[in-house]
Amino acid sequence: MKASNFVCLFNCNNVDSTVNTDYVQTICRVYSCNALSMCCCFTGSQGQSLWPMMAEIEHPNQQGVCRMIGYCILVLCLVPQITWATVSYKQGDPVTLYVNKVGPYHNPQETYHYYTLPVCRPKEVHHKSLSLGEVLDGDRMAESLYEIKFRENTEKKLLCQLTLTEKEVDQLREAIEELYYFEFVLDDIPIWGFVGYMEESGFLPHSHKVGLWTHLDFNIEYNGNSVIFANVSVKDSKPVPLEEGGAGHGAVGTGGGLALSFSYSVHWFESPLNHARRAERLRDYSFFPKTLEIHWLSIINSLVLVVLLLGFVIIILMRVLKNDFARYNVEEEGGCDDLDQGDNGWKIIHTDVFRFPPYKSLLCAVLGVGAQFLTLATGIIVMALLGMFNVHRHGAINSAAIMLYALTSCVSGYCSCSFYTQIHGQRWVWNIILTSSLFSAPLFLTWSVVNSVHWWSGSTQALPASTVLLLLGAWVLVGFPLTVIGGIVGKNRAGNFQAPCRTRNIARQIPTQPWYKHTAVHMSIGGFLPFSAISVELYYIFATVWGREHYTLYGILLCVFAILLSVGACISVALTYFLLSGEDYRWWWRSVLSTGSTGLFIFVYSVFYYRNRSSMSGLVQSAEFFGYSLLTALVFSLMLGTVSFWASLVFIRYIYRSLKMD
């Protein structure tokens, strides 16, 4: 198709400010509106419709193509920008400083807009156009009154003068006592600093001092014509004391309030780092506590543990199976009767071991969604290893995760419906609906509760209506249709189950099992061992997700991910063998639950982390932490349950295929 016959996809004059419009503007510039026309408007501040609206098209045979293009463009809006152009400045060019958010130092997810505090602000606040990932990350960037020019120093320039009421002074005091920090953004570089100063000293008499920083020193590093790094300092200024009850040591205004003058200075320094390496400078900066460090020794210890565990299980199982095969394959009269008296009775249940389990649709949905998250996690790690996530781009991983979740929905539909058809499932439509909602329904419920708490507190983590509609549109127009398409393809391409043994019509009675073969014991063993293999790395992941660290050890993360899957598969095979040896053929759900219980251990660890390894507190942060920790535990349970099941199925097919059946 030539460019002249292409489509004008977007109304560029009506795009929500919270949506990344780079792709939209590029397409509108490249392709001119011609005989074909389609307009896609995102929900804006006035409540315009999100849904694509097709106008009349002169070429009806191209309607399907245009509709598909519209859906693909919606997905492209979710794609994180992989390449970032270098912003070049000339001396004297204005460098825009955006104010972003404030919040308690120890509650990373409890953030509020900077202008919720009584500070200097322009008469009309203009917000920056943000990407989806930035909105999900709680960013709400707005233009500030700071005037910064490239490579031009400024000394104690007046920003504004304010007269604060008693209520506003109390608001600032409360923010300072809760250790509020602020975040500015200059050329995609975050700048952090504390709102004020607090000092506690003495017991008798007790001294409690609270002060507000009214002067900020910006130190900006540059190389050539680009900005490399920026931070803020208050070491050469003194805080203005704020007394209890709204009084202070500043000048008293005409209305009896506290009159304050805010000022700032700007100093430029040349840096040896070029623009391509400026991320290194940000990683070396330590406004927040540094908890990440190279921990190869811990990874090596986990790797040695896994190798020993795998070797132990493989050697023991091979020796036991070798003896079983030698005994079971002896051809003699009455051999089958003797088998009932043997120590290892897994052969005598060969007519029941492939008996299909109850709740087949739910089992297949678990396997499908687990396969989807395995694909998503692998994709995220590979993208990170390829350097696709820039630390200067807020929320890039969030955007990538949403994009991959929508696109990998076809994997869940295919795996679920294909296996459901193999085990003679009839209600495949219900299976597709269950697969699509198995994770999305708990996610929506959790998000509704957490977002309501954020909305009630006025936090910037509360998503605006336009972003909610955009995410809903991505699931309705991309995620769910791909699940249906994958399910239909899986149903049509599903083969036979390929069971090595025929199944009896009447189920065999299962003998009484000892206590150590019960489901709870298997779940404890199967969940604890994979958790112990990742427990060290889990701390660093929590410090990244629930802190402000930039995780960069993706090579180690890939190793740990492989270790986790290997241990889960190995433990599942061992537990399945012990289960079958007790003449218990109910391995289907047991294999999923045994290793899938790792999610329970991860949630218990999250409670431990919250109480003993962090300083988080308050309703807002607690709701965010425990809500999404539950979802994280669910994701791990689905992934490991899927790996565990397929490992057990391959093992069972192998041992029964190796027997000589009469």
Side-chain angles (χ1 to χ4, degrees), residues 305-320:
L305 172 65
V306 169
V307 171
L308 292 177
L309 178 63
L310 292 178
F312 172 78
V313 172
I314 292 174
I315 292 175
I316 295 299
L317 282 183
M318 288 300 102
R319 288 179 63 87
V320 173

Side-chain angles (χ1 to χ4, degrees), residues 170-471:
D170 290 339
Q171 182 183 359
L172 284 174
R173 278 185 56 87
E174 182 180 355
I176 295 171
E177 289 173 343
E178 293 183 7
L179 298 180
Y180 267 43
Y181 73 97
F182 61 81
E183 179 180 290
F184 298 163
V185 179
L186 184 141
D187 195 29
D188 289 331
I189 300 173
I191 302 174
W192 298 291
F194 283 107
V195 174
Y197 168 82
M198 184 178 67
E199 179 182 351
E200 297 273 357
S201 62
F203 180 69
L204 287 175
H206 176 67
S207 174
H208 178 73
K209 298 179 181 179
V210 176
L212 175 68
W213 299 114
T214 58
H215 178 81
L216 299 179
D217 287 309
F218 293 96
N219 303 304
I220 308 175
E221 300 177 11
Y222 70 94
N223 181 280
N225 55 3
S226 60
V227 178
I228 303 301
F229 179 72
N231 66 2
V232 66
S233 173
V234 292
K235 64 179 182 179
D236 295 329
S237 59
K238 294 183 179 181
V240 176
L242 300 179
E243 301 296 340
E244 192 76 34
H249 290 177
V252 179
T254 56
L258 178 63
L260 298 175
S261 296
F262 292 86
S263 59
Y264 66 98
S265 300
V266 180
H267 301 96
W268 292 84
F269 304 92
E270 189 171 4
S271 172
L273 297 178
N274 56 26
H275 186 273
R277 297 178 55 196
R278 71 174 188 166
E280 302 175 10
R281 184 68 178 86
L282 180 61
R283 284 194 291 264
D284 294 337
Y285 184 61
S286 58
F287 175 76
F288 297 113
K290 288 292 183 181
T291 57
L292 292 183
E293 55 188 36
I294 301 298
H295 44 282
W296 285 104
L297 183 60
S298 300
I299 301 303
I300 292 174
N301 290 337
S302 299
L303 190 59
V304 170
L305 172 65
V306 169
V307 171
L308 292 177
L309 178 63
L310 292 178
F312 172 78
V313 172
I314 292 174
I315 292 175
I316 295 299
L317 282 183
M318 288 300 102
R319 288 179 63 87
V320 173
L321 286 175
K322 184 178 180 180
N323 295 332
D324 289 348
F325 289 148
R327 184 163 58 90
Y328 287 156
N329 288 331
V330 173
E331 297 287 340
E332 56 183 8
E333 285 295 321
C336 291
D337 295 333
D338 296 337
L339 289 176
D340 292 338
Q341 308 300 326
D343 294 332
N344 296 306
W346 55 267
K347 181 183 177 181
I348 61 177
I349 60 172
H350 68 273
T351 56
D352 294 281
V353 72
F354 293 106
R355 187 179 304 280
F356 297 144
Y359 310 109
K360 293 186 289 187
S361 184
L362 179 59
L363 175 65
C364 296
V366 169
L367 300 179
V369 178
Q372 177 185 6
F373 278 108
L374 286 171
T375 307
L376 189 152
T378 304
I380 289 290
I381 296 175
V382 170
M383 292 175 66
L385 287 174
L386 295 177
M388 294 185 177
F389 300 134
N390 191 322
V391 295
H392 294 290
R393 280 292 180 179
H394 299 193
I397 294 184
N398 293 340
S399 298
I402 293 173
M403 177 197 69
L404 289 179
Y405 178 76
L407 296 181
T408 55
S409 297
C410 58
V411 176
S412 63
Y414 179 86
C415 294
S416 176
C417 206
S418 175
F419 193 70
Y420 185 68
T421 305
Q422 290 182 25
I423 60 177
H424 303 164
Q426 302 297 326
R427 304 174 62 187
W428 64 273
V429 176
W430 166 248
N431 175 253
I432 291 177
I433 296 175
L434 181 61
T435 302
S436 64
S437 58
L438 184 63
F439 179 76
S440 58
L443 173 63
F444 178 77
L445 178 63
T446 304
W447 170 84
S448 299
V449 174
V450 174
N451 199 70
S452 299
V453 173
H454 283 302
W455 175 80
W456 170 77
S457 66
S459 171
T460 59
Q461 297 288 336
L463 298 183
S466 57
T467 305
V468 175
L469 291 178
L470 178 62
L471 295 175

